[in-house]
Amino acid sequence: MSNIHLEICDSVAKLTLDRPAKRNALTPAMLETLEAHLATLESSRTVRVVTLSGAGDKAFCAGADIKAWGALDALGMWNEWIPRGQRVFSRLANLRQPVIALINGYAFGGGLELALACDIRIAASTASFAMPEVKIAAVPGWSGTARLAKIIGIARAKMMILTGDPIDVKTALAWGLVTKACSPDRLSNAADELIATISSNAPIAVQISKQLLDAGSAPLESIAGALSAYTDDGQEGVQSFSERRKPDYKGS
Ligand code: COO
């Protein structure tokens, strides 16, 4: 397995990009490892929250490994490298469980696209965000154009992508690209409270709500409401409310 680690402790799974000497830039082997970890998480009925971090104190992820894709011919880019990243990032975005990106530094190019495939982004004050592909005569390729525009708006996305210039955490917060910022030494604690809160909620209801939000389709809410109410947790939720006690959700 390459430089991406998965640790599962109780209901929390931690994914770590571990190639700090190369600013956690993503190689083909790392994409394969990430996809294998996602398959593990897709089949888990106990994991309730996933976090994604970058090792080291400089970068979350500096994007696709330029030397790796620079060695490919046009067809290799077109039918292997780009579709592989899109497929893996889509599996990440479609995980049932909420994914929290902990951004400790550079989130550039495919690294920002990776963070955009997560549900919630928390950043250290030292983090910066860019889509610098045009500076090396490349273009974003791992669904960042759509996801970035959806999150910060088309005009801001165009400014970021057409200039390739970075934005700081203050701007990222103002634009809704990140939901929380903190000092670098507080980054993992900043997520702890969020992780604890989401983990204590009914996991099926949380996961269905994520799917409803991503589908953006109100008609699905009735089906989702029925499914959620039909679960043991659904009964427990109502029961605990009427008995004025803390619910004990089992994820069933
Ligand atoms: C990066 C950076 C601005 C970080 O700058 P630093 O000054 O902190 O670090 P260095 O530039 O010295 O890079 C350290 C190290 O990582 C160096 O390797 P060595 O020379 O062997 O020591 C860099 O070559 C390597 N590195 C950094 N980023 C990459 C990388 N190797 C391969 N690939 C990448 N991405 O320096 C910087 O600007 N990186 C490029 C950011 C970028 O353009 N990303 C978009 C790539 S295209 C893409 O993502 C497409 C997806 C579909 C972050």
Side-chain angles (χ1 to χ4, degrees):
M1 296 292 250
S2 82
N3 326 59
I4 298 189
H5 311 301
L6 171 62
E7 283 173 74
I8 296 178
C9 182
D10 299 329
S11 62
V12 180
K14 292 185 180 177
L15 284 166
T16 307
L17 308 177
D18 188 13
R19 193 180 179 222
K22 300 288 185 185
R23 303 300 179 262
N24 300 320
L26 295 168
T27 61
M30 289 170 79
L31 285 179
E32 273 173 48
T33 302
L34 179 55
E35 190 158 32
H37 290 329
L38 293 174
T40 303
L41 295 170
E42 283 165 354
S43 59
S44 167
R45 290 198 173 194
T46 54
V47 170
R48 297 186 178 187
V49 180
V50 180
T51 65
L52 177 59
S53 309
D57 59 0
K58 290 263 186 5
F60 171 73
C61 176
D65 187 298
I66 296 170
K67 292 169 187 144
W69 62 254
L72 295 172
D73 63 9
L75 291 184
M77 284 291 276
W78 175 50
N79 53 36
E80 284 165 39
W81 180 241
I82 297 296
R84 184 184 301 155
Q86 286 179 337
R87 185 184 71 241
V88 176
F89 285 22
S90 171
R91 281 185 81 167
L92 173 65
N94 292 324
L95 268 184
R96 292 191 324 279
Q97 304 92 340
V99 184
I100 304 169
L102 302 180
I103 305 169
N104 57 318
Y106 299 110
F108 278 22
L112 177 51
E113 292 178 303
L114 182 63
L116 292 170
C118 300
D119 299 291
I120 297 169
R121 284 160 291 280
I122 297 178
S125 51
T126 47
S128 57
F129 310 82
M131 295 291 276
E133 286 86 343
V134 290
K135 292 188 184 294
I136 53 171
V139 295
W142 287 341
S143 312
T145 49
R147 292 198 172 105
L148 187 63
K150 190 174 166 190
I151 291 169
I152 67 172
I154 187 75
R156 287 170 173 158
K158 283 183 178 175
M159 197 182 83
M160 283 192 75
I161 292 173
L162 303 184
T163 65
D165 290 342
I167 62 169
D168 61 12
V169 173
K170 190 162 165 266
T171 308
L173 259 180
W175 290 1
L177 184 55
V178 301
T179 48
K180 196 173 181 180
C182 61
S183 60
D185 60 324
R186 297 264 321 133
L187 188 56
S188 64
N189 309 73
D192 287 348
E193 196 181 320
L194 184 61
I195 290 166
T197 303
I198 295 176
S199 299
S200 67
N201 292 331
I204 297 171
V206 166
Q207 292 165 23
I208 293 175
S209 299
K210 170 177 169 176
Q211 290 175 344
L212 284 174
L213 285 159
D214 288 341
S217 157
L220 284 175
E221 288 173 349
S222 53
I223 304 166
L227 170 60
S228 183
Y230 195 65
T231 61
D232 296 341
D233 280 354
Q235 305 304 315
E236 167 64 7
V238 173
Q239 197 84 18
S240 63
F241 178 78
S242 55
E243 293 170 6
R244 294 183 181 279
R245 60 174 170 78
K246 204 166 162 354
D248 177 19
Y249 294 123
K250 304 288 186 202
S252 59

